[in-house]
Amino acid sequence: MNAIVAANNGDVTETPNLASDFKYDLNSERTGVIIKKYTGERKKVIIPSVIEDFPVVELASGAFVESDIVSVIIPDSVVKIWGGSDYPKTPGIIYSRPGAFSDCALLEKVILPKGLKIISESCFVGCSSLKEITLPEGLEEIEWRAFSYSGLESIVIPDSVKKLNGFSFCKKLKTVTIGRGVQEIGESTSKVSLGETKGGYTAVYANFNVAPGAFSGCTALTTVIGGDNVGKIGDEAFENCTSLTNISIGKKLQVVGNSAFKGCTSLTTFTMDNNLKKDIGSEAFKGCKKLTTVTIGDNLISIGGSAFEECEALTTVSIGDNLKSIGSFAFSKCRTLITVTIGKGIKEMGDGAFSYCSSLTTFNIGSTESVNYSCYRTYVFEGCSSLSLKTKARIMETGYKGQF
């Protein structure tokens, strides 16, 4: 006879499922039971904490994949929920190995075990009815695509989490509250708040980098609040966050990665502290059609190619004395750009850097002493049809020989 002990997670009024509802075996360490497959008919599943006198300690990859369950209570005895690898039937993802709950389209409620340390790769990917989930204190890592393409609308990340990943293309996700312990945000995670809120603003304790794609495709995201310890916004971090309107980043930001805000068509302002010491990557703000103001401190070193290309509402650009290079087509087709002020440290302007800025009338360089013919690549000002003769003459005095 199979002995079954009730799940000990919260107040459970129903009895747990019978052992016969599962395919199971001993785990590799022979310390407990691993659930390999759910075969029962109950839609509201309560996993037992003990089967055949062994604790239930693991859920295998694909244990509930594509099942029609609506809720699951996982006992505190479980310490490992196995993930998958690029599993779900979603665009751009190739079938491989499913996570434990991949593509459970009807799943609405999950109660996780208190001792869980990791939510594994693709674990809840494609769970389109899952609107909320409570993560346990003590959780340390959320892996790649753990909740991608899910129905999550908000989530609170506990202070114990050190590495956060896996919220790409959560198109209903509006609010993510991130705890103090987060050190790294990886591929894809919408209003972002960090730590505790005081006076309407959120204090930031996390020391982390926003790694490539962290919030990409989160189309409900409206506001990003970063803090003093954000050192890098990675490649494609907020790409195509089409509802994003404002960004305010703290004092330690040094790098804005390639395509970091590309396609953020609602973005209007971007302000950063003087400590932006390194660079703005290629296509970082390309196609931000409502961006009107860019304020960058004195310590920026380089602006990548096409960084602000096709920012059609941008009117003013002011950059400090430490800027050394402006990449090819960096401000190309900014058709409402009127005034550009560049500090005395400029050494290079790439091909077509300001080409087809048809409203540009004022172009100021802090000092002409370090600027010469070698500073300019070809067609830097081609199509700048509103430049006055006086301004053209001043630019040519610095060594520019190309077309206007």
Side-chain angles (χ1 to χ4, degrees), residues 266-285:
S266 298
L267 185 64
T268 58
T269 59
F270 180 71
T271 303
M272 289 194 296
D273 190 89
N274 283 339
N275 288 287
L276 184 60
K277 295 178 179 178
K278 294 185 179 179
D279 54 56
I280 294 176
S282 299
E283 300 189 353
F285 295 89

Side-chain angles (χ1 to χ4, degrees), residues 343-348 365 367-372 374-375 398:
K344 61 185 178 182
I346 190 69
K347 300 291 184 183
E348 180 180 354
I365 299 178
S367 171
T368 59
E369 294 177 3
S370 61
V371 181
N372 53 48
S374 64
C375 173
T398 66

